[in-house]
Amino acid sequence: MTSALQITIDAPVASFRNPLYSGVQVTLPCPPPSTVAGLLAAAVGGWDRMPPDARFAMAFTAQGKGVDLETFHPLAKAGKKPAPTPKDHEFLARTTLTLWVLDHLDLWERALRRPVWPLRLGRSQDLASAHTRRVTLHPGQGTQGHALLPAEASTSGMQLRMPHSISADRSRIQWGTYRYASQGSRAHIDSPWHTSDGQAVVPLAPVHPNAGSSKPVELAHIWAKSADKRAQPPQQGEALTTHLQATTRALDTLHSRIGPLPETDGQFWNRARLACLFHDAGKVPDGFQTMVGNPPPTQPWGKRHEIYSLAFVEHVLAHLPEDERTRIGLGVVTHHRPLAGGEGSIRNEARPLIRPEDFHDHFAPVDSTSANALAIWLARAADVPVPQEVTPQELAQAGHRLLNRILTHWERGQSPDEAAGLSALLLQGAITLADHVASAHGHLLTDHPLTSIDYPTQLRSTLKAKGAHTYAHQEQAHTTTTHMVLRAPTGQGKTEAALLWATTHTQHSAHETGGTPRLFYALPYLASINAMATRLREDLDHDQVGVVHSRAASFYLSTATCDTTQADRTRTDRQHASRAVAQANASRLFRELVRVTTPYQLLRGALGGTAHSSTLLDSANSTFVFDELHAYEPRRLGMILAMMELWVRLGGRIAVLSATLPDRLLETIRAALGPDHKVQLVEPDSDHTWPRRHRLHLREEHLTGPASIEEITGALRAGHSVAVIANNVADAWYLYDQLAPLARELHGEDAALLLHSRFKTGDRNRIEEAIRERFGTRTTPRQPGLLVATQVVEVSLDVDFDVLHTSAAPLEALLQRFGRVNRVAALEHPAPVVVHRPHYAPRGKSGPDCADKVYDAEPTQLGWDILVRHQDGELDEQLFTAWLDDIYNGPWGKRWQDHTDASQELFRDQFLAFDEPLNDTTALSKAFDEMFDGVEGILAKDRKDYKDALQNTSPGEERGTGKLLASQYLIPLPHYARALGTWDHTLNVLVIDAEYEADRGLIAIHPPGNAGNTYQPGVLL
């Protein structure tokens, strides 16, 4: 908390002329900062009596607005007498300007009690009165309300370009871009302070005409970053001291968010802060300065500045124990490059540095005056004794000494022990993340949306307004203080229960650690992640929820807005895309405290290295919600369970949600977390009535058979919405061709849709949106029509159909498909779910039989046998759990358990021992990506459009904008599809010669050099 002076200025009438209008006197909706600055200067008696660093936060309201007619007398020209001119003049009525100042409180209190000159708000005749009071401001996020904010602080309200300060002789005007909502905004702002009633307090930049010269940058002649000519306006190079200060500030924010780190000693954060302060000190050599254009022209250097940074660690921190300097140096030297492994490693770069003389010659020349000035600055910033002046040769000796200690202690990059390896990886993550945040001029949110809005109270109020209340299992989740597995029916608030549980653990963690835990909400499919993110952004504020997956920028693009209203469509698209890239980059820099993601993004923390160590650090002392954990096959599930064990060691709290979680998986989760960690099962009471939303029917004929098509045709003629889910793309095409013409004839051109995984990104987004609009759970009234799809709809789309026809599959997959029908129980009677017996055949020329050449035969047949016992019966999800228990308790379930355990053990041994935590992880990362992500390709006919989108950049747009726009042409393919196309090294993308239709997707591929041989996607493609 901090003390501030709140200044309230009232004026019955005020106007602030907008200079862009000449024929009428139009008023701005609020006073420009320069106007407020003039009022304050009048209070103290002029600019020379006003502190140069004077800053304020402000909010403004007007209770009315009017127009009067005023006579204006133009200035006379020589020999002419101007005629008076009447003009309409807008004014604001009953206005209140509220200011908050945090410095010079006594001065402002005295000045506003008895102003030197009259206070005027706007024009000279618009007199105002002021009164003050001392208030207490609280740290963290607040509500925007009627505040005037820098444009980058919010996306809510009108964007205004207004003067910020005006020179005393009025010859120079400094302009600023702001956001202001005249009707007020409920948006939550990442503000440094807020009032007791939640109003965000965001101090604006100093407004004194001389403010820009009040505090020069120290050692401004030493740069850390080159000038950014792409910025609008272009920016000069960033001083090294500025960057080091920004990095340590980011580290301090990380510390405040994460709190004390388990598995490390009590000096971790002090060590990390010193490493951040020293991490780029090695940029002082002349060669680096020339490389960043200081002075121009730029010239390549080719040396590793982080190695030279070790000289300052050893020299300036000489008072610390040798072991402590070694640990700090290890964090410094690995913040860009791996310690060992690969040509670019630190060990490889250090090979020629055999003697101190080699170290000196390698980095020379170094200006002695600049190096010693930097050493003094570092000592003062670190609050340590100022070192004696040294020569560049002596500095090189210090750097060489510390480098050798690190390479000796971490021989070949191998950790001395497991504890040291994990601690070193977390240290690398802290420095890397702080450096990236500072370099991007980003910021990290610190006020958790669940607690700042009091989510439990908000949820109960919302339900009460609808005549509803929380379920018993939701209240039990709210009071659960351990890890949790929640098993509850679809549509009965599992997400809300998870957020209630997370609120409790956020509060407990904040109390125990003093930090603010991140909430990771993990789901298995991208479309389900996007749907959940949209939902949470509505409930918790758009700016507070991030999305982290391989298509995050595409999600942000789909939700982006743009102020531009011009007809230049291409530029508008690029503006949308640039903003989406900026949002995705901010989420990638761990900005938000609530993030919706895939488990695979979190698993990358185990890879470590400069690319992934920050992910592991950010997961410490966090809360994790895993939705539909049973959707993962044993290999991937084992990896997730192994990471759960590590997250718990690092202070994490785990929740798993499902409507149909088998008991064997529950016990597997408990075993993974260990006997010292209780896992509470939360589910409805035994007398709870589970909704019966489905009636089961079985058909011996395959889904593509004539009788099956006839039955589906009958449902379409009856005016139903029908989902037809096939096990492979070939069957989906056939069914779509047979059924779509009738659906369109009966119910309109947009009544038939096809969805599978082999569409261009842009087309798939369009189709998914069309599906949601026609068949979404919130669509009223319900509309008839047809969706033919593959497995992509199992957990991906929030849709609701009247009838389901599906080919048989393993029970978990079938139950997810059932969940797309009568999803919100809006139908009077249970909806029919019709399951057709699949064909069994090998995937290739030989091998075991698989259901429709996709699913393993045994679990599919076991599920079918259970369904036979319930044919024509009404179903509820409590029954589904018993079905799954039957399968998992049998021989197949024992083999599933063995596979899961083996995967968990393998992942733990290979990735979580941290034997070589700082070594090169390029190969591991590539293998990991291939395991989960496949490859993407473009059509040969799209190559020009792809290239144009990629390369036709606009001034000032975010890096990656072109890549995002070009991604709309990408088609996801399995990794073996590389052999079916040609790799374009210029565009770095796979190009395929293929047949494609916008409503059918990828139809056939013609492999290069294989004339007449066409590859048709079917089972696996």
Side-chain angles (χ1 to χ4, degrees):
M1 296 185 291
T2 189
S3 295
L5 186 69
Q6 180 174 298
I7 305 169
T8 305
I9 300 168
D10 296 306
V13 174
S15 62
F16 315 104
R17 190 174 70 83
N18 190 331
L20 299 179
Y21 296 85
S22 58
V24 294
Q25 296 288 308
V26 176
T27 182
L28 293 165
C30 67
S34 60
T35 297
V36 180
L39 181 147
L40 294 177
V44 295
W47 294 116
D48 58 338
R49 296 185 181 182
M50 182 174 175
D53 61 348
R55 302 178 66 188
F56 54 78
M58 63 176 280
F60 179 79
T61 60
Q63 297 184 28
K65 185 176 183 179
V67 179
D68 62 9
L69 195 64
E70 289 196 351
T71 300
F72 290 80
H73 298 270
L75 294 176
K77 293 183 180 180
K80 293 185 179 181
K81 182 178 181 180
T85 304
K87 291 185 180 181
D88 285 339
H89 168 253
E90 285 188 348
F91 64 90
L92 303 172
R94 301 185 67 181
T95 65
T96 300
L97 171 66
T98 305
L99 306 177
W100 293 270
V101 294
L102 282 74
D103 300 305
H104 314 290
L105 305 193
D106 293 338
L107 167 70
W108 292 116
E109 200 167 38
R110 289 194 304 269
L112 290 159
R113 185 182 301 120
R114 184 172 293 180
V116 174
W117 294 326
L119 303 183
R120 298 179 175 91
L121 192 58
R123 300 183 306 168
S124 60
Q125 65 265 46
D126 295 337
L127 295 177
S129 63
H131 63 273
T132 65
R133 68 185 181 98
R134 300 279 180 125
V135 297
T136 298
L137 299 181
H138 306 274
Q141 181 188 83
T143 303
Q144 180 171 341
H146 293 86
L148 181 70
L149 303 171
E152 65 272 14
S154 176
T155 58
S156 180
M158 178 186 296
Q159 183 168 293
L160 299 170
R161 185 75 171 165
M162 298 190 295
H164 186 82
S165 67
I166 302 174
S167 64
D169 62 1
R170 296 184 174 270
S171 63
R172 298 183 307 278
I173 299 177
Q174 179 183 334
W175 293 83
T177 306
Y178 304 92
R179 286 280 184 180
Y180 176 70
S182 59
Q183 301 302 314
S185 170
R186 298 178 61 186
H188 290 280
I189 303 303
D190 185 27
S191 54
W193 308 102
H194 66 266
T195 63
S196 57
D197 59 358
Q199 170 66 56
V201 175
V202 181
L204 304 178
V207 291
H208 194 285
N210 301 328
S213 59
S214 60
K215 189 177 181 181
V217 174
E218 296 185 76
L219 306 183
H221 68 288
I222 308 174
W223 287 9
K225 309 286 182 182
S226 58
D228 187 356
K229 297 179 180 179
R230 296 177 67 256
Q232 294 295 318
Q235 298 175 357
Q236 66 178 13
E238 183 177 37
L240 177 58
T241 55
T242 300
H243 176 63
L244 295 180
Q245 288 172 327
T247 306
T248 52
R249 284 197 299 269
L251 192 280
D252 290 340
T253 304
L254 275 178
H255 184 187
S256 68
R257 293 210 319 181
I258 297 173
L261 265 175
E263 304 286 321
T264 66
D265 60 34
Q267 291 300 309
F268 176 86
W269 288 111
N270 291 336
R271 197 176 297 134
R273 195 175 195 280
L274 288 172
C276 284
L277 184 61
F278 283 78
H279 78 288
D280 275 356
K283 291 182 174 180
V284 73
D286 293 359
F288 182 90
Q289 293 301 303
T290 304
M291 185 179 72
V292 295
N294 182 30
T298 60
Q299 295 181 15
W301 188 42
K303 312 293 171 59
R304 297 310 310 171
H305 69 271
E306 58 268 40
I307 296 179
Y308 196 73
S309 296
L310 296 177
F312 290 90
V313 174
E314 184 78 353
H315 170 54
V316 178
L317 302 179
H319 65 290
L320 294 179
E322 183 178 279
D323 178 64
E324 193 65 15
R325 296 200 303 275
T326 301
R327 294 188 184 194
I328 295 169
L330 183 66
V332 168
V333 82
T334 59
H335 79 274
H336 279 311
R337 295 291 184 95
L339 187 60
E343 293 184 1
S345 69
I346 296 299
R347 179 171 288 278
N348 191 68
E349 292 284 336
R351 291 189 189 282
L353 310 182
I354 300 172
R355 303 169 302 157
E357 294 81 4
D358 300 326
F359 195 100
H360 172 269
D361 295 344
H362 186 75
F363 293 102
V366 176
D367 180 70
S368 178
T369 302
S370 294
N372 280 287
L374 178 59
I376 293 171
W377 183 89
L378 289 167
R380 289 174 176 166
D383 195 21
V384 301
V386 174
Q388 294 292 322
E389 185 172 327
V390 292
T391 65
Q393 289 78 7
E394 291 170 322
L395 203 56
Q397 289 175 356
H400 184 264
R401 188 164 58 247
L402 179 51
L403 177 63
N404 277 348
R405 282 208 311 274
I406 292 172
L407 296 180
T408 300
H409 193 63
W410 288 75
E411 186 179 1
R412 298 187 184 87
Q414 293 177 341
S415 172
D417 55 71
E418 182 177 345
L422 179 56
S423 181
L425 186 60
L426 293 170
L427 182 66
Q428 182 188 51
I431 300 158
T432 302
L433 178 52
D435 184 30
H436 288 173
V437 170
S439 296
H441 302 286
H443 63 284
L444 303 172
L445 301 183
T446 56
D447 201 18
H448 206 293
L450 287 176
T451 53
S452 63
I453 66 171
D454 190 1
Y455 176 77
T457 300
Q458 175 178 288
L459 173 64
R460 294 183 181 102
S461 298
T462 302
L463 291 174
K464 184 178 180 180
K466 298 178 180 178
H469 56 79
T470 53
Y471 293 99
H473 57 268
Q474 291 176 324
E475 294 295 343
Q476 186 181 355
H478 189 201
T479 59
T480 298
T481 57
T482 65
H483 308 291
M484 178 184 73
V485 168
L486 174 67
R487 193 159 54 192
T490 298
Q492 294 195 359
K494 289 194 296 295
T495 299
E496 289 82 359
L499 295 180
L500 289 169
W501 171 87
T503 302
T504 296
H505 284 270
T506 297
Q507 293 168 334
H508 285 194
S509 179
H511 177 73
E512 293 173 3
T513 68
T516 307
R518 280 67 58 220
L519 168 59
F520 299 100
Y521 203 114
L523 297 108
Y525 302 107
L526 295 190
S528 57
I529 290 171
N530 293 346
M532 180 59 68
T534 299
R535 176 177 177 179
L536 294 183
R537 283 159 68 89
E538 292 174 353
D539 292 344
L540 304 180
D541 192 314
H542 281 65
D543 195 50
Q544 300 295 311
V545 179
V547 177
V548 184
H549 57 64
S550 60
R551 295 286 190 182
S554 292
F555 167 79
Y556 286 118
L557 179 60
S558 69
T559 60
T561 59
C562 187
D563 295 327
T564 300
T565 58
Q566 303 300 319
D568 185 355
R569 183 64 190 169
T570 300
R571 176 154 178 80
T572 299
D573 285 345
R574 297 203 78 92
Q575 288 173 331
H576 277 279
S578 181
R579 183 174 301 176
V581 169
Q583 289 179 292
N585 289 341
S587 294
R588 195 176 294 116
L589 285 175
F590 312 98
R591 174 179 178 270
E592 299 90 357
L593 291 163
V594 176
R595 272 166 265 154
V596 190
T597 182
T598 66
Y600 313 130
Q601 297 293 331
L602 298 173
L603 286 175
R604 283 186 166 89
L607 299 175
T610 55
H612 306 297
S613 55
S614 297
T615 299
L616 185 62
L617 172 88
D618 190 58
S619 67
N621 292 332
S622 290
T623 52
F624 301 82
V625 173
F626 291 90
D627 203 347
E628 307 297 352
L629 191 65
H630 60 269
Y632 305 99
E633 46 83 25
R635 182 186 57 164
R636 298 182 183 185
L637 177 61
M639 298 166 67
I640 296 170
L641 292 170
M643 279 300 290
M644 281 186 182
E645 180 184 3
L646 177 61
W647 289 324
V648 168
R649 284 171 53 195
L650 292 174
R653 295 156 170 82
I654 308 293
V656 175
L657 317 179
S658 177
T660 56
L661 189 87
D663 287 342
R664 183 181 282 273
L665 180 51
L666 170 61
E667 295 308 314
T668 302
I669 294 168
R670 285 176 168 156
L673 300 189
D676 296 334
H677 297 278
K678 180 181 178 182
V679 179
Q680 177 71 39
L681 175 62
V682 174
E683 56 185 346
D685 297 333
S686 57
D687 60 350
H688 179 83
T689 301
W690 289 58
R692 296 195 168 191
R693 298 182 290 120
H694 307 122
R695 184 179 293 278
L696 174 66
H697 304 283
L698 300 183
R699 301 290 183 263
E700 288 292 332
E701 184 171 60
H702 191 265
L703 183 63
T704 58
S708 302
I709 292 175
E710 182 67 25
E711 187 175 1
I712 297 170
T713 298
L716 290 171
R717 292 187 184 280
H720 295 307
S721 57
V722 185
V724 180
I725 303 180
N727 285 341
N728 60 55
V729 177
D731 288 348
W733 276 336
Y734 178 80
L735 290 162
Y736 181 72
D737 290 341
Q738 295 295 312
L739 298 167
L742 176 64
R744 292 193 175 101
E745 178 186 335
L746 293 172
H747 307 300
E749 280 301 311
D750 58 350
L753 296 161
L754 172 69
L755 182 64
H756 53 76
S757 60
R758 306 309 174 201
F759 280 96
K760 296 178 190 177
T761 301
D763 286 337
R764 175 161 176 168
N765 291 342
R766 171 183 54 80
I767 293 170
E768 287 185 353
E769 181 60 29
I771 293 171
R772 282 189 291 267
E773 287 183 2
R774 189 172 188 94
F775 304 116
T777 57
R778 300 182 182 182
T779 300
T780 54
R782 300 170 74 91
Q783 297 188 55
L786 170 73
L787 170 66
V788 179
T790 59
Q791 301 90 327
V792 295
V793 297
E794 287 177 7
V795 193
S796 61
L797 293 174
D798 187 19
V799 290
D800 192 2
F801 291 87
D802 300 331
V803 179
L804 169 70
H805 282 263
T806 177
S807 191
L811 200 52
E812 289 98 329
L814 277 182
L815 299 181
Q816 290 297 331
R817 298 177 191 186
F818 290 178
R820 307 308 109 188
V821 181
N822 198 17
R823 184 170 178 81
V824 295
L827 301 178
E828 293 184 9
H829 303 288
V833 289
V834 185
V835 182
H836 298 254
R837 184 186 286 276
H839 291 316
Y840 289 95
R843 288 174 179 162
K845 295 181 180 179
S846 61
D849 284 349
C850 295
D852 291 328
K853 299 185 179 183
V854 175
Y855 294 108
D856 290 346
E858 184 178 6
T860 305
Q861 186 59 51
L862 289 171
W864 179 270
D865 293 341
I866 291 174
L867 296 180
V868 168
R869 300 201 296 267
H870 297 271
Q871 170 140 230
D872 299 325
E874 294 183 1
L875 310 179
D876 65 53
E877 287 168 309
Q878 191 173 31
L879 187 64
F880 297 166
T881 300
W883 293 0
L884 290 170
D885 284 340
D886 280 352
I887 293 177
Y888 279 87
N889 291 336
W892 178 86
K894 178 62 170 62
R895 291 192 295 276
W896 172 90
Q897 182 77 68
D898 292 342
H899 291 159
T900 302
D901 291 346
S903 172
Q904 183 178 347
E905 187 70 23
L906 181 64
F907 192 78
R908 186 188 298 119
D909 291 344
Q910 289 188 345
F911 293 95
L912 304 184
F914 303 112
D915 295 328
E916 299 177 349
L918 305 178
N919 283 7
D920 182 58
T921 61
T922 303
L924 283 176
S925 297
K926 183 178 179 181
F928 189 92
D929 290 341
E930 290 179 355
M931 186 184 303
F932 295 114
D933 293 340
V935 69
E936 295 173 318
I938 61 171
L939 303 175
K941 65 180 182 180
D942 287 338
R943 186 185 182 282
K944 183 181 183 302
D945 291 336
Y946 181 87
K947 180 180 179 181
D948 290 344
L950 196 65
Q951 298 180 351
N952 289 348
T953 59
S954 299
E957 71 180 28
E958 291 285 335
R959 286 185 174 87
T961 298
K963 186 176 181 181
L964 171 58
L965 290 171
S967 71
Q968 305 307 299
Y969 297 96
L970 294 172
I971 303 172
L973 303 166
H975 262 283
Y976 64 75
R978 283 176 175 267
L980 304 177
T982 302
W983 192 262
D984 188 319
H985 293 281
T986 303
L987 300 178
N988 196 32
V989 70
L990 181 70
V991 180
I992 55 174
D993 178 14
E995 299 172 28
Y996 182 93
E997 295 178 9
D999 66 333
R1000 290 172 56 84
L1002 185 64
I1003 298 172
I1005 301 176
H1006 305 288
N1010 214 347
N1013 189 4
T1014 299
Y1015 186 93
Q1016 293 186 328
V1019 176
L1020 299 178
L1021 180 56

